[in-house]
Amino acid sequence: QITLKESGPTLVKPTQTLSLTCTFSGFSLSTSGVGVGWIRQPPGKALEWLALIYWNKDYHYSPSLKSRVTITKDTSKNQVVLTMTNMDSVDTATYYCARTHYYDSRLDYWGQGTLVTVSS
Amino acid sequence: QSVLTQPPSVSAAPGQKVTISCSGSSSNIGINYVSWYQQLPGTAPKLLIYDTNKRPSGIPDRFSGSKSGTSATLGITGLQTGDEADYYCGTWDSSLSGLLFGGGTKLTVL
């Protein structure tokens, strides 16, 4: 059974740095072709891809957020961490992590999501 | 504004068929696989179609996917009220080296 779960602060202040952890089970990030991505969704709006990291440590960032995000993995802990600097109210959203695949970029298992509110 | 263009909304009666389009370009849909996701109200997205036209285990064959050139289409037959949801297309963009999502389409089953 494959599961993913996001954890981190639910409230951050403007200009602060957000750190979210995706803890997963049922698969390994050392398996060839496997990756984990982060996606967010502002209230009432569309999905937006943020970043992903693959089994081979290759990573990609959304061009619009590249200067603010960092993604890392700890294979032994089955965790992927997303860091986003200089948070603003427009970053208020539900943040999801999901398993992805290098071959076809499908996101086949998703976490439940965590709502992050940016407010002073 | 999303790089992948979807109609904001579609609607049809129960039992009918509906299609949702997703328009992209030669750097994304034109050369890469397309996925479709269903997001029921208040829940996380769920993979509905992958590799343009394949269904994960457990997804009924009422759902289908296709692609022509730089556009992809999700088809849903035998509409049920439980199909009311937001639907998103997604694909890789080889120029941006990143994932793209469409703006989402809200399906209403009248």
Side-chain angles (χ1 to χ4, degrees):
Chain A
Q1 181 188 5
I2 292 173
T3 64
L4 300 96
K5 187 171 185 179
E6 308 85 356
S7 60
T10 58
L11 178 66
V12 297
K13 290 181 168 52
T15 75
Q16 285 188 336
T17 295
L18 171 69
S19 182
L20 292 174
T21 299
C22 176
T23 303
F24 55 87
S25 63
F27 69 96
S28 173
L29 249 184
S30 62
T31 300
S32 180
V34 172
V36 170
W38 284 94
I39 303 96
R40 71 180 178 181
Q41 185 174 37
K45 296 189 176 182
L47 301 173
E48 178 185 18
W49 170 71
L50 304 177
L52 62 82
I53 190 164
Y54 290 118
W55 83 104
N56 60 359
K57 300 181 184 178
D58 185 25
Y59 56 87
H60 298 271
Y61 297 125
S62 165
S64 64
L65 293 167
K66 190 174 183 178
S67 63
R68 299 175 52 208
V69 298
T70 303
I71 190 169
T72 59
K73 69 181 181 80
D74 187 328
T75 304
S76 64
K77 292 184 178 179
N78 283 351
Q79 290 182 333
V80 171
V81 175
L82 178 78
T83 302
M84 185 178 294
T85 62
N86 195 24
M87 294 291 284
D88 182 85
S89 59
V90 298
D91 297 312
T92 293
T94 296
Y95 287 74
Y96 298 99
C97 64
R99 188 180 78 162
T100 189
H101 297 264
Y102 180 84
Y103 169 66
D104 59 7
S105 74
R106 73 183 187 268
L107 298 157
D108 57 355
Y109 290 90
W110 294 64
Q112 63 188 27
T114 185
L115 176 62
V116 177
T117 301
V118 183
S119 175
S120 56
Chain B
Q1 191 169 351
S2 303
V3 177
L4 302 181
T5 303
Q6 296 182 235
S9 63
V10 295
S11 62
Q16 297 299 305
K17 173 183 177 179
V18 71
T19 60
I20 297 173
S21 61
C22 175
S23 178
S25 69
S26 58
S27 64
N28 43 68
I29 292 179
I31 56 172
N32 292 306
Y33 288 116
V34 179
S35 298
W36 288 91
Y37 304 91
Q38 177 193 59
Q39 187 175 32
L40 297 170
T43 69
K46 172 185 171 182
L47 180 64
L48 206 59
I49 297 289
Y50 70 99
D51 290 2
T52 304
N53 55 16
K54 297 178 182 175
R55 286 174 287 105
S57 174
I59 301 299
D61 59 6
R62 299 189 299 107
F63 295 91
S64 64
S66 64
K67 183 175 84 169
S68 178
T70 59
S71 291
T73 302
L74 173 69
I76 311 173
T77 59
L79 278 172
Q80 302 173 1
T81 55
D83 295 332
E84 285 203 334
D86 292 323
Y87 292 84
Y88 294 89
C89 58
T91 188
W92 185 260
D93 190 293
S94 298
S95 293
L96 297 175
S97 287
L99 275 172
L100 295 176
F101 288 106
T105 299
K106 183 176 181 61
L107 168 64
T108 301
V109 181
L110 302 167

